[in-house]
């Protein structure tokens, strides 16, 4: 436990850990890593492949299939039972294999965003320690680490030094407010535990426990519950349970039809086989494969890493994306807009003197780097400042709100250059009555347009005068205004998101005018900009830009949008974004985000770029579109076959197909439909959020299923005429063979005409679904006359028997095409 090595004084703790304030040497760290093991939690390990296969039985369709197979075995229908149980095994193996490959790929991808820690290490005991970033997994007890705002606490640590340190411990205690920590405190106040994160301040600490020895590991032995699925996932589950209820009704309906024809329980295997025929047993396999392929493609081509595989579903369904302004729509730096004299006219001298002050403040105050405004001044003014000799400088002080630089002027004179907040500079200027109010109004007008304003004043002083840190009696020279530098790809990315049906909402802590100006420059209509304090939850959906947002405001607005029925994505990179990241349907963070934000995100971007989000949303819709195509095709076809089987069971003196034939047909159809995992959806499938609406989807399936049933029954009528009436019992094998062939040809047509892939959109190259459909049609034509067909009770068909069913199939293809075109016209 962490408490044992952490007890006692700081010196006692360091002695117990055989460490010191300078940290460990590389050799000591390597030896301890072998002894203590990697700093990882046991629950992150993925289950073994056989366990995955067993867990696949929890899928509702697979569980129903298993029950039907056991029923078949119980009634001694060995052939039916073996085939059904084989389907269960194949489904479990394929799903387990897909999940195993997906987790293996994601594990490799996560290494790209693996957490690191700033640790003090030495090559040997004589050299001074050097801070370096190492993977969190390589931390060992005794390591000395440094912590800053936004860092995740990588292990249980004891504070050595701390300055203004507060820590979020919600993951451990449920307490939402940050907790203050002190190196000179007692008890828990000098400990920081793994699973918490730094809210503010800095610290140096020694690692006292790693891996399974941390309190976080002890308190979280079980894996965390997964986040509730998104809108698309919930829709698929809703449709699935409707189908399962219908499947359970199918065997009684078949038995009732058989009873009306005077047949008894000997038809139960056929009833079970028909119920199996309605099952989309490949759904779990196709879902896993589509998501894994989409995640791998995103990582390979766009550097986007999907940490939670089902998040691709959510990305495809996103219709509202919430972003911050800074770093997303704009870059993290300002640029000079204008420089104005006191009358409001453009004056380049104002910019030049402000840049001189920035240059000498940077040189004489020994700042590590210029602040953002000084950097913008120096970039806009070019090479200035070196023509003067610097005398003294006082950097910007947030209390005084000014920066001062003194340079040599004419002989025996010095020039004092003061820049800062308008009010603070004017307080130090000698102005005429009423002039101060006029200048404040001028600055306010510029600020109201969304610009940041910096005031400039100068004074001429004798060289012998002491350089004042707070000068007075200055001459007001003018204003320099700044605007945010726009992100170079933001405008195009916003247009692309709008074309995809995604509404972008800006949640920012900036001034309303600043946010509105950036949006207008990018072509995004801000509408009426509201502040978070005045905006109610009911108004969130109708507001594009919300300013003055606190972290709690962002989370509240995201929750309000979800409650209004939207699927919400949130992009954030700071500590203040964590609450909103955890509230959104799908959370995104750049790789450069603070540790706690990156850990909270479902998707990690290579850069904080809206273009990458557009690619991720497209990939999500790609995967979801393929899954929806599979569901449309398989359910329409299967429903039509079931209805036709029920009707034929009432009309024929024998079973329309043998149980083994039904299962063989179903197995061939399932194998062909694996091609949907490799399909490329058409443009229409990518244009809007990938949300399945259960009612409209079931209407689609019912309508096209009944159309398929009519084609099957028309084929039945043609076969009855061709066989000189259905009472010719000797022709059972011919009837079964003909209907088997017709069913597979019908299913091949459905695959071609109802999927949303590029082949339908006019591509000359047949896609994977087209090739699979051709293969399915070939099996339908070649299997009955083959030895395997004979084993299944089928026979070769005379050539004349192909003519009339071919006419039926041609009419069915025309009807299917017309119905599909009519449906597309009705869709928005």
């Amino acid at each position: 436990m962490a408490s044992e090595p952490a007890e006692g004084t700081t010196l006692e703790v360091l002695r117990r850990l055989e460490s010191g304030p300078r940290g460990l040497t590389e050799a000591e760290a390597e030896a301890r890593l072998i002894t203590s093991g990697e700093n990882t939690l046991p629950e992150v390990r993925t289950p073994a492949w056989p366990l995955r296969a067993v867990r696949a039985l929890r899928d509702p369709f697979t569980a129903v299939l298993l029950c039907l197979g056991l029923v078949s075995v119980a009634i001694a229908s060995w052939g039916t039972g073996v085939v059904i149980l084989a389907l269960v095994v194949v489904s479990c193996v394929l799903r387990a294999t897909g999940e195993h490959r997906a987790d293996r790929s994601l594990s490799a991808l996560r290494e790209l965003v693996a957490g690191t820690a700033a640790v003090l290490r030495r090559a040997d005991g004589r050299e001074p320690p050097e801070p370096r970033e190492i993977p969190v997994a390589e931390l060992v007890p005794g390591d000395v680490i440094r912590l800053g705002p936004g860092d995740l606490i990588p292990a249980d640590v004891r504070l050595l030094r701390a300055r203004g340190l507060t820590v979020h411990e919600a993951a451990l205690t449920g307490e939402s407010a940050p907790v203050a920590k002190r190196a000179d405190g007692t008890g828990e106040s000098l400990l920081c535990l793994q699973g918490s994160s730094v809210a503010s301040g800095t610290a140096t600490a020694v690692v006292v426990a790693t891996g399974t020895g941390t309190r976080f590991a002890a308190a979280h032995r079980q894996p965390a519950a997964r986040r509730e699925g998104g809108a698309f996932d919930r829709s698929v589950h809703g449709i699935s349970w409707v189908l399962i209820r219908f499947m359970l009704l199918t065997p009684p309906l078949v038995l009732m039809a058989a009873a009306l024809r005077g047949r008894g329980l000997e038809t139960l295997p056929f009833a079970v086989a028909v119920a199996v025929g309605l099952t989309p047993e490949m759904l779990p396999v196709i879902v896993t494969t589509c998501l894994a392929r989409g995640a791998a493609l995103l990582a390979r081509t766009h550097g986007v890493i999907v940490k939670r595989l089902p998040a691709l579903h959510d990305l495809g369904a996103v219709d509202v994306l919430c972003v911050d302004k800074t770093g997303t729509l704009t870059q993290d730096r300002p640029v000079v807009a204008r420089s104005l004299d006191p009358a409001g006219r453009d004056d380049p001298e104002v910019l030049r003197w402000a840049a001189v002050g920035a240059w000498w403040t940077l040189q004489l105050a020994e700042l590590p780097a210029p602040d953002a405004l000084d950097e913008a001044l120096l970039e806009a003014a070019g090479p200035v400042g070196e023509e003067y000799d610097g005398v003294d400088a006082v950097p910007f002080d947030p209390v005084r709100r000014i920066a001062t630089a003194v340079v040599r002027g004419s002989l025996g004179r010095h020039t004092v250059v003061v820049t800062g907040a308008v009010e603070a500079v004017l307080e130090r200027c000698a102005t005429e009555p009423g002039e101060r109010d006029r200048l404040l109004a001028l600055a306010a007008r510029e600020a109201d347009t969304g610009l940041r304003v910096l005031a400039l004043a100068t004074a001429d002083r004798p060289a012998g005068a002491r350089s004042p840190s707070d000068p007075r009696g200055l001459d007001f020279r003018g204003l320099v205004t700044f605007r945010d530098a726009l992100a170079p790809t933001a405008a195009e990315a916003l247009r692309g998101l709008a074309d995809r049906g995604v509404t972008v909402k800006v949640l920012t802590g900036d001034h309303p005018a600043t946010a509105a100006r950036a949006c207008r420059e990018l072509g995004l209509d801000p509408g009426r900009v509201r502040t978070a304090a005045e905006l109610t939850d009911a108004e969130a959906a109708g507001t594009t830009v919300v300013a003055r947002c606190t972290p709690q405001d962002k989370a509240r607005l995201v929750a309000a949008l979800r409650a209004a029925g939207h699927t919400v994505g949130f992009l954030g990179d700071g500590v203040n974004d964590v609450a909103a990241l955890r509230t959104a349907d799908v959370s995104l963070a750049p790789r450069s985000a603070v540790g706690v934000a990156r850990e909270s995100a479902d998707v990690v971007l290579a850069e904080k770029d809206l273009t990458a989000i557009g690619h991720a949303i497209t990939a999500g819709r790609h995967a979801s579109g393929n899954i929806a195509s599979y569901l449309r095709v398989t359910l329409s076809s299967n429903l039509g076959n079931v209805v036709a089987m029920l009707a034929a069971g009432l009309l024929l003196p024998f079973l329309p197909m043998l149980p083994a034939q039904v299962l063989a047909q179903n197995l061939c159809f399932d194998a062909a439909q694996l091609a949907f995992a490799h399909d490329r959806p058409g443009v229409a499938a990518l244009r809007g959020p990938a949300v399945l609406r259960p009612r409209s989807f079931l209407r689609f399936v019912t309508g096209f299923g009944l159309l398929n049933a009519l084609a099957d029954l028309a084929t039945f009528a043609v076969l009855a005429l061709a066989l000189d009436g259905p009472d010719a019992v000797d022709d059972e094998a011919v009837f079964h063979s003909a209907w088997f062939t017709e069913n597979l040809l019908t299913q091949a047509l459905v695959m071609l005409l109802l999927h949303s892939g590029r082949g339908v959109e006019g591509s000359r190259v047949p896609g994977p679904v087209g090739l699979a459909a051709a293969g399915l049609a070939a099996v339908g034509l070649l299997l009955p006359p083959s030895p395997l067909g004979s084993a299944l009770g089928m026979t070769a068909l005379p050539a004349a028997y192909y003519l009339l069913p071919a006419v039926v199939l041609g009419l069915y293809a025309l009807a299917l095409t017309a119905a599909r075109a009519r449906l597309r016209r009705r869709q928005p």
Side-chain angles (χ1 to χ4, degrees):
M1 294 294 292
S3 59
E4 295 179 2
E7 291 176 350
T9 65
T10 300
L11 183 59
E12 290 172 345
V13 170
L14 290 173
R15 285 178 175 172
R16 195 178 300 128
L17 293 168
E18 298 181 359
S19 182
R22 303 199 312 163
L24 302 175
T25 64
E26 294 290 351
E28 290 172 338
E30 290 178 6
R32 295 190 185 194
L33 185 61
I34 296 173
T35 303
S36 62
E38 290 191 345
N39 181 33
T40 57
L41 299 177
E43 56 261 33
V44 300
R45 296 174 184 171
T46 57
W49 186 91
L51 182 58
R52 289 184 183 276
V54 174
R55 287 183 177 180
L57 294 174
R58 296 183 298 183
D59 177 76
F61 287 121
T62 307
V64 170
L65 272 181
L66 178 61
C67 293
L68 293 175
L70 295 177
V71 168
S72 299
V73 171
I75 62 175
S77 179
W78 303 110
T80 303
V82 168
V83 173
I84 294 175
L85 294 177
L87 282 173
V88 172
V89 171
V90 169
S91 178
C92 291
V93 169
L94 287 175
R95 182 172 185 178
T97 302
E99 288 183 349
H100 178 69
R101 288 176 178 171
D103 277 353
R104 189 171 57 187
S105 299
L106 289 176
S107 178
L109 294 174
R110 286 191 188 103
E111 293 181 3
L112 298 176
V113 291
T116 60
V119 63
L120 297 181
R121 290 275 178 89
R122 296 170 289 154
D124 57 53
R126 294 184 300 274
E127 294 187 3
E130 294 183 359
R132 50 177 292 199
E133 294 285 332
I134 67 169
V136 166
E138 296 179 10
L139 283 178
V140 295
D143 265 328
V144 175
I145 64 172
R146 291 178 176 176
L147 300 171
D151 287 346
L152 290 170
I153 308 297
D156 287 357
V157 300
R158 163 76 178 257
L159 295 176
L160 302 178
R161 293 184 297 278
R163 183 177 181 181
L165 185 68
T166 62
V167 174
H168 285 293
E169 294 184 335
L172 296 167
T173 66
E175 176 62 43
S176 58
V179 178
K181 300 288 184 176
R182 298 178 57 185
D184 58 354
T186 58
E188 296 294 317
S189 67
L190 49 76
L191 290 177
C192 294
L193 305 178
Q194 184 183 38
S196 54
S197 60
V198 178
S200 63
T202 58
T204 301
V206 61
V207 175
V208 296
T210 60
T212 57
T214 64
R215 292 192 192 177
F216 187 81
H220 296 78
R221 296 298 183 190
Q222 299 300 321
R226 287 192 172 188
R227 186 182 303 185
E228 180 186 359
F232 187 90
D233 222 16
R234 292 192 296 268
S235 299
V236 170
H237 287 159
I239 294 168
S240 299
W241 283 109
V242 171
L243 292 172
I244 287 172
R245 295 186 186 98
F246 189 71
M247 284 171 53
L248 296 177
L249 286 175
T250 300
L253 291 174
V254 174
L255 291 176
M256 290 173 60
L260 293 175
R261 294 292 298 176
R263 294 190 290 268
L265 291 177
E266 66 273 10
T267 60
L268 183 57
F270 174 73
V272 171
V274 172
V276 172
L278 188 62
T279 308
E281 50 269 89
M282 290 295 106
L283 179 60
V285 177
I286 288 177
V287 168
T288 302
T289 305
C290 285
L291 296 181
R293 281 174 53 83
L297 183 65
L298 274 176
R300 187 169 62 252
T301 58
H302 302 294
V304 177
I305 299 171
V306 181
K307 294 168 54 183
R308 184 177 64 91
L309 204 55
L312 262 185
H313 272 326
D314 302 344
L315 277 170
V318 162
D319 61 340
V320 172
L321 176 66
C322 297
V323 301
D324 193 3
K325 177 185 69 68
T326 304
T328 304
L329 304 182
T330 63
Q331 301 181 49
D332 292 323
R333 63 182 183 88
V335 295
V336 172
R338 299 176 66 191
S339 56
L340 308 173
D341 65 12
R345 298 184 298 266
D346 289 330
D347 185 353
E349 277 296 294
V350 174
L351 173 61
R352 190 181 73 84
W353 274 111
V356 168
W359 169 261
W360 283 109
T361 300
L362 178 64
Q363 301 302 316
L364 299 178
E366 297 183 354
L367 298 177
D371 68 18
L373 294 184
D374 285 349
E375 192 171 22
L377 289 170
L378 295 172
E379 181 179 346
V384 296
E386 295 186 27
E387 66 272 27
Y388 297 98
D389 291 328
V391 177
D392 196 2
V394 179
F396 181 83
D397 185 335
V399 177
R400 297 184 304 117
R401 299 192 298 164
I402 63 169
T404 304
V406 181
V407 298
R408 285 191 176 90
S410 57
L411 185 62
R413 309 293 291 181
H414 288 168
T415 301
V416 181
V417 183
V418 177
T419 56
V422 178
E423 297 87 348
V425 172
L426 282 173
E427 286 177 1
R428 294 164 172 82
C429 291
T431 57
E432 297 294 330
E435 181 68 4
R436 184 174 184 274
D437 291 339
R438 187 187 69 79
L439 293 173
L440 287 174
L442 173 64
R445 284 196 300 270
E446 295 296 320
D448 288 342
T449 64
L451 298 174
R452 298 170 68 176
V453 181
L454 183 76
L456 167 72
T458 62
D460 191 45
R461 297 281 191 264
R466 184 178 179 183
S467 300
S469 61
D470 192 11
R472 300 283 172 171
L474 305 173
D475 297 323
F476 188 83
R477 298 292 299 270
L479 305 172
V480 181
T481 61
F482 303 82
R483 60 176 176 82
D484 289 322
L486 301 179
T489 61
E492 182 181 354
L494 287 172
R495 289 192 295 270
L497 289 170
D499 292 340
R500 293 177 176 92
V502 178
T503 300
V504 175
K505 295 189 180 296
V506 181
L507 311 182
T508 178
D510 277 349
H511 188 280
T514 303
R517 182 187 183 94
C519 290
R520 281 193 294 268
E521 290 180 351
L522 291 170
L524 178 65
D525 183 8
R528 181 189 174 192
V529 180
R530 309 287 295 276
T531 62
E534 67 182 8
L535 187 70
T536 64
D537 291 354
E539 296 170 321
T543 304
T544 300
V545 179
V546 185
R548 303 299 193 197
C549 283
T550 65
Q552 293 74 22
D553 290 327
K554 293 181 179 181
R556 173 178 66 86
L557 294 173
V558 168
L561 290 168
R562 293 188 65 194
H566 296 285
T567 302
V568 183
F570 184 87
L571 172 65
D573 63 353
V575 177
N576 60 331
D577 294 321
V578 171
L581 287 168
R582 292 173 176 169
T583 304
D585 288 290
V586 56
S587 51
L588 306 100
R591 196 178 300 176
S592 58
V594 299
V596 65
R598 191 172 61 242
E599 190 69 20
S600 300
D602 301 316
V603 179
V604 177
L605 312 175
E607 303 291 341
K608 194 175 182 183
D609 185 1
L610 289 179
T611 304
I613 298 179
H615 292 310
I617 289 175
T618 298
R621 292 179 182 177
H622 189 145
S624 299
N626 285 344
I627 296 167
S629 289
Y630 164 75
L631 284 172
R632 279 195 300 268
V633 168
T634 192
L635 296 180
S636 299
S637 179
N638 290 353
L639 180 62
N641 286 340
V642 168
V643 172
M645 291 283 186
L646 291 173
L650 289 172
L651 299 173
L652 286 174
F654 52 82
L655 294 177
M657 289 180 71
L658 299 178
Q661 295 166 357
V662 175
L663 294 173
Q665 169 195 296
N666 191 51
L667 185 60
C668 293
F669 191 32
D670 286 339
Q673 289 180 104
L674 289 175
F676 281 108
H678 305 271
D679 196 20
R680 292 179 61 83
V683 175
L686 305 177
R687 192 173 293 130
V691 179
L692 283 178
R693 295 173 177 82
R695 289 186 178 180
S696 60
F697 184 81
L698 290 173
R699 282 198 300 269
F700 178 98
V701 169
T702 302
F704 283 93
L706 292 177
L707 186 61
N708 187 48
L710 289 175
D712 286 346
L713 292 175
T715 303
F716 162 71
V718 168
L719 292 174
L721 292 174
L723 294 174
D724 298 325
D727 293 330
V729 179
D730 292 340
D731 291 331
E732 276 189 47
V734 176
F735 184 92
H736 292 160
S737 302
W739 209 359
F740 179 90
T741 298
E742 185 273 342
N743 277 339
L744 288 188
L745 292 176
T746 302
Q747 289 167 335
L749 279 175
V750 171
M751 286 182 65
L752 281 175
L753 297 178
L754 290 191
H755 87 296
S756 62
R758 296 282 175 87
V760 179
E761 305 294 336
S763 173
R764 295 181 181 179
V765 180
V769 174
L771 294 175
L776 185 63
V779 170
L781 294 170
L782 300 177
L783 182 61
S786 70
L788 180 57
S790 299
L792 293 173
M794 292 185 287
T795 186
L797 294 173
Y801 282 19
Y802 289 104
L803 297 179
L804 290 176
V807 173
V808 173
L809 287 173
L811 294 174
Y812 173 61
L814 291 175
L816 201 62
T817 303
R820 179 63 174 161
R822 182 169 180 265
L823 180 66
R824 285 180 176 175
R825 286 194 299 270
R826 292 174 57 186
Q827 289 176 341

